[in-house]
């Protein structure tokens, strides 16, 4: 019987469908992994911004994780929007309890339109409780600046930031380069504690990039769930998000979502 690979996302809901658990579950499905979710917050949002954030009680999050942990053991887990230090401590405790060692932390802090999605006091909780448990962490440049307290202006700064974040406990740091808009290429930096790998892609001139971070980390999680080595899973994730941005859906009046169908459509030789 063919093994069913399973992945769990612990994140917030995006009513617009472009980010959060909606993006994660779409990505898991497209990459052939059975997706599960534990909801941390409900957001009211669309391509124009976030109109409301409604975090769940810690007991509700813990109960969801127990439901998964006692029955549907995930092969890999990712976290997205965790919002508060209390939620972070609960999630970290359950990760330890169930021995989920293939953990991808996407340190979601600010929405595309600028709305905060992580309370300021929760940053230290993320560093203290969750990063030491992670296989990989996937910050963008602004998130890396918050985690390290340093200004990142060039590649040397990115490498220094990656070293600092690696020292916080994750085995692999993927420092994404999408926010370096002065570069004609998007260069993601992979650091495993010993060497740097640079993953390049063509920059796409579009405003429709809502949910790229969620989607990238979900694709990485899907690859890990299927047993891919980290380097291979990151290459797949990079190709997946590049296709999702290039073959845009062009919906919404603001920062629209990426195209979660695009990667598989390309493999089939079709375009949506």
């Amino acid at each position: 019987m063919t093994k069913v690979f399973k992945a769990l996302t612990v994140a917030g809901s995006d009513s617009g469908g472009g980010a959060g658990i909606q993006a994660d579950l779409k990505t898991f499905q497209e990459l052939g992994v059975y997706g599960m979710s534990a909801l941390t917050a409900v957001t009211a949002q669309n391509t124009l911004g976030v109109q409301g954030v409604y975090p769940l009680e810690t007991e509700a999050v813990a109960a969801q994780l127990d439901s998964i942990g006692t029955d549907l053991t995930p092969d890999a887990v990712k976290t997205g929007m965790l919002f508060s230090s209390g939620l972070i401590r609960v999630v970290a405790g359950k990760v330890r309890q169930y021995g989920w060692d293939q953990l991808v932390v996407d340190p979601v802090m600010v929405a595309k339109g600028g709305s905060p999605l992580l309370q300021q006091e929760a940053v230290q909780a993320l560093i203290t409780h969750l990063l030491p448990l992670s296989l990989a962490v996937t910050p963008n440049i602004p998130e890396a600046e918050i985690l390290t307290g340093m200004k990142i202006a060039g590649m040397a700064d990115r490498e220094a930031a990656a070293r600092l974040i690696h020292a916080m406990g994750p085995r692999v740091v993927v420092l994404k380069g999408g926010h370096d808009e002065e570069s004609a290429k998007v260069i993601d930096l992979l650091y495993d504690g010993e060497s740097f790998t640079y993953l390049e892609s063509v920059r796409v001139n579009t405003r429709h990039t809502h949910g790229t971070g969620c989607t990238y980390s979900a694709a990485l999680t899907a690859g890990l769930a299927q047993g891919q080595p980290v380097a291979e899973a990151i290459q797949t994730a990079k190709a997946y998000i590049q296709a999702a941005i290039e073959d845009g859906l062009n919906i919404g009046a603001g920062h629209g979502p990426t195209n979660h169908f695009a990667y598989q459509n390309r493999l089939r030789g079709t375009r949506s």
Side-chain angles (χ1 to χ4, degrees), residues 79-83 106-111 117-118 126 143 214:
T79 63
M81 177 187 175
L82 298 179
F83 189 70
D106 181 18
V108 176
M109 296 180 183
V110 179
L117 299 176
L118 182 70
L126 186 77
E143 290 162 349
C214 303

Side-chain angles (χ1 to χ4, degrees), residues 93-110:
K94 293 303 179 182
V95 168
R96 288 193 299 270
Q97 178 181 342
Y98 293 110
W100 294 333
D101 58 355
Q102 292 216 104
L103 174 66
V104 176
V105 174
D106 181 18
V108 176
M109 296 180 183
V110 179

Side-chain angles (χ1 to χ4, degrees), residues 196-262:
F196 293 99
T197 302
Y198 307 93
L199 306 172
E200 295 187 3
S201 59
V202 176
R203 183 175 298 278
V204 181
N205 183 23
T206 177
R207 72 174 190 275
H208 298 293
T209 56
H210 178 58
T212 51
C214 303
T215 299
Y216 193 145
S217 58
L220 169 57
T221 306
L224 294 173
Q226 293 169 316
Q228 295 177 12
V230 176
E232 180 182 342
I234 291 172
Q235 291 281 3
T236 301
K238 181 76 169 173
Y240 184 91
I241 192 59
Q242 185 70 16
I245 296 171
E246 287 182 354
D247 300 348
L249 296 171
N250 299 314
I251 59 175
H255 295 288
T258 64
N259 182 358
H260 293 93
F261 305 115

Side-chain angles (χ1 to χ4, degrees), residues 6-265:
K6 303 184 294 296
L8 168 64
T9 171
V10 186
S13 170
D14 172 7
S15 55
I21 62 162
Q22 285 85 350
D24 295 343
L25 292 174
K26 291 173 187 177
T27 302
F28 293 161
Q29 184 82 8
E30 287 294 304
L31 291 175
V33 172
Y34 179 80
M36 304 170 289
S37 63
L39 199 62
T40 60
V42 173
T43 70
Q45 64 176 296
N46 52 30
T47 67
L48 298 174
V50 179
Q51 291 80 46
V53 177
Y54 310 94
L56 271 67
E57 297 292 334
T58 55
E59 293 83 357
V61 177
Q64 293 174 80
L65 294 172
D66 285 334
S67 293
I68 300 300
T70 56
D71 182 31
L72 296 161
T73 304
D75 297 292
V77 179
K78 70 152 285 190
T79 63
M81 177 187 175
L82 298 179
F83 189 70
S84 70
S85 58
L87 286 174
I88 289 169
R89 286 193 293 268
V90 164
V91 172
K94 293 303 179 182
V95 168
R96 288 193 299 270
Q97 178 181 342
Y98 293 110
W100 294 333
D101 58 355
Q102 292 216 104
L103 174 66
V104 176
V105 174
D106 181 18
V108 176
M109 296 180 183
V110 179
K112 188 69 67 179
S115 298
L117 299 176
L118 182 70
Q119 294 177 339
Q120 188 172 3
E121 50 83 22
V123 174
Q124 190 56 49
L126 186 77
I127 294 170
T128 302
H129 298 288
L130 205 55
L131 290 191
L133 303 176
S134 65
L135 169 58
V137 61
T138 61
N140 57 33
I141 290 173
E143 290 162 349
E145 290 179 332
I146 293 172
L147 288 172
T148 62
M150 64 177 286
K151 181 66 177 176
I152 299 174
M155 191 57 70
D157 288 343
R158 280 199 238 172
E159 291 181 356
R163 288 191 179 96
L164 289 174
I165 295 170
H166 186 269
M168 297 172 186
R171 283 169 276 172
V172 174
V173 177
V174 184
L175 207 170
K176 298 172 295 187
H179 283 73
D180 182 11
E181 296 181 353
E182 294 183 1
S183 173
K185 295 182 178 179
V186 175
I187 304 175
D188 299 336
L189 181 66
L190 168 63
Y191 181 59
D192 62 2
E194 295 183 357
S195 61
F196 293 99
T197 302
Y198 307 93
L199 306 172
E200 295 187 3
S201 59
V202 176
R203 183 175 298 278
V204 181
N205 183 23
T206 177
R207 72 174 190 275
H208 298 293
T209 56
H210 178 58
T212 51
C214 303
T215 299
Y216 193 145
S217 58
L220 169 57
T221 306
L224 294 173
Q226 293 169 316
Q228 295 177 12
V230 176
E232 180 182 342
I234 291 172
Q235 291 281 3
T236 301
K238 181 76 169 173
Y240 184 91
I241 192 59
Q242 185 70 16
I245 296 171
E246 287 182 354
D247 300 348
L249 296 171
N250 299 314
I251 59 175
H255 295 288
T258 64
N259 182 358
H260 293 93
F261 305 115
Y263 182 76
Q264 288 296 342
N265 283 344

